[in-house]
Amino acid sequence: MIRLYDTLTGDVRPLAQRDEGKVSLYACGPTVYDHPHLGHARQAMTYDVMRRYFEWRGLAVHHVANVTDIDDKIIARAQAENTTESAVATEWKQVYDDVMDALDILRPHDRPHATEYVEEMVEFIQTLIDNGSAYANDSGVYLRVHTVDGYGDLVHRSLDDLREGAGARVEVDDTKEDPLDFALWKAAKPGEPTWPSPWGDGRPGWHIECVAMSLGILGDGFDLHGGGNDLVFPHHTNERAEAIAAGRDFAQHWAHNAMLNISGEKMSKSLGNFTTIQTLLDEHPDNARALRLALLQTHYRKVMELNPDVMAQSREGLKRLDAMVRKASGADVPLDGAERDATAIAAFTAAMDDDLGTPEGVATMFETIRRANAALDAGDDAAAMLVATAIDLAGAMGLSVEPDGLGSGGDGGDPEIDALVSARTEARASKDFAEADRIRDELTARGIVVEDTPNGPVWHRG
RNA sequence: GCGCCGGUGCCCGAGCGGCCCAAGGGAACGGCCUGCAAAGCCGUACAGUCGCGGGUUCAAAUCCCGCCCGGCGCUCCA
């Protein structure tokens, strides 16, 4: 049984499925107006791993993530660049997609755009006005927060606590009945894109889109709603409030991933180049996988440290995975149809079922790799099973294997390199070690690593 | 200030009342293997203790209290 921490109840509890064997997951997606940064990567990776693991467990996952293509930041950027909001959104959505593809993050099954759901949002707001939970005035439509039962439950704060926070802020908008009330619909302002509504032209507030889209696509009482823990308040709290006010059955379980620290500090301006995903990807060809491994080695609910050192350490770890596969390939171990090692599978499943314990899952994978290598060295029949199991576990977490240059001696895939490797083999055969080492140095200079195995040399890009 | 989450070896990080003199990865060191390497395997040192100080318990890294440090949040509008 899969158990997951639920922000609402504050404990780890079984993830109930509305429909047996299926999981409906709504994870808040990006507002597209700028380069995605590493925080976006952690968020997207968290739910990608969740989804992959659920699927590996045999569950049919319906993964939905919105794309916010209209909001203040997009408007600001459009004005600054003297272009349209939709042009800004289209451009940055593409950038986002490219980066996520590079990180090997599976595309959610549905990716609704806010601007495609305005009609549904208007209807939803109308329902709230009709039942007295919302009111319209000159500046827009607002939700009457005090009418919502258990409004602050998700953040575990009382209405008074929250009100104190709101009151402490300057410039309270006095068109609202209560400082806590928030906008469902914002009245049109000059120069902003607008949509028609019964309360005049305007645009939707931030939270309403996720309610309309999650309920619209996944239906009432969907299983799991996720996002970064910076969204617990106000975003998720307000989404939930809207659904409750409308009498709808909302998410049954809430998951939130923790933030990232870069070099011991929160990710921000002073760290400059290390903040965007693209920059990280440009720094090393293997950084996409290394980032995934690094992320997996920290539990998703814990603040995580990321710095160049951590990335380098992860890249080294990845080599163990790849090297094992190369070794198995060199030994001609039959992986197709190999059984799985029950001990490893059981340990892995237990760890992952318990609130997505990826650090322990990774530990199990590495232990399996060590056992596989030992079996390979010993010529043990269990080798195939262990290698196949390790690859399987890696795959369950979205870690791909890239042995690179697979194959031995003459058929490594690159004629020039293969020729050099063959020449070295001949030199060694005739005991001309000086020549053999010379060739190896030349290969090293080209970034090629040669490993000698009982079955001949195997090379890869290092 | 208020709320929530953290502080574990050289680094990253599991563990969350006894199985912990604390997993896994990286880095280090020794051995095996190798012509020498690389990779791999085996082993060792690093945590005499898990931010600090009290307390509860037969038993605490794990629970409670206080303090210090770090992080996230504290609406809408600008």
Side-chain angles (χ1 to χ4, degrees), chain A residues 381-409:
Chain A
D381 286 346
M385 176 178 80
L386 290 165
V387 172
T389 302
I391 294 172
D392 189 30
L393 299 187
M397 299 181 285
L399 267 184
S400 59
V401 177
E402 286 168 26
D404 204 10
L406 243 184
S408 55

Side-chain angles (χ1 to χ4, degrees), chain A residues 1-5 12-17 23 50-51 53-59 61 224 253 349-350 352-356:
Chain A
M1 185 201 300
I2 293 170
R3 294 160 58 82
L4 220 47
Y5 182 84
V12 176
R13 62 188 191 86
L15 175 68
Q17 285 132 243
V23 176
M50 232 178 239
R51 168 191 171 172
Y53 177 65
F54 291 168
E55 289 177 347
W56 183 83
R57 278 292 250 125
L59 295 163
V61 180
L224 179 61
H253 208 116
T349 305
M352 294 291 278
D353 274 3
D354 183 14
D355 199 23
L356 206 70

Side-chain angles (χ1 to χ4, degrees), chain A residues 12 27 41 68 83 164 282 284 314 354 366 391 441:
Chain A
V12 176
T68 299
T83 179
E164 202 176 302
D282 291 343
H284 190 103
S314 290
D354 183 14
F366 278 117
I391 294 172
D441 288 344

Side-chain angles (χ1 to χ4, degrees), chain A residues 313-387:
Chain A
Q313 290 174 6
S314 290
R315 270 183 248 120
E316 290 308 310
L318 244 17
K319 288 183 183 171
R320 285 176 62 75
L321 215 207
D322 296 342
M324 172 198 72
V325 175
R326 237 180 279 122
K327 191 193 253 286
S329 157
D332 278 329
V333 168
L335 298 181
D336 288 345
E339 297 277 305
R340 297 292 117 99
D341 178 71
T343 305
I345 294 292
F348 179 76
T349 305
M352 294 291 278
D353 274 3
D354 183 14
D355 199 23
L356 206 70
T358 57
E360 290 168 278
V362 169
T364 300
M365 176 191 80
F366 278 117
E367 273 165 19
T368 307
I369 289 172
R370 180 179 48 72
R371 291 171 61 207
N373 279 323
L376 248 12
D377 284 347
D380 191 322
D381 286 346
M385 176 178 80
L386 290 165
V387 172

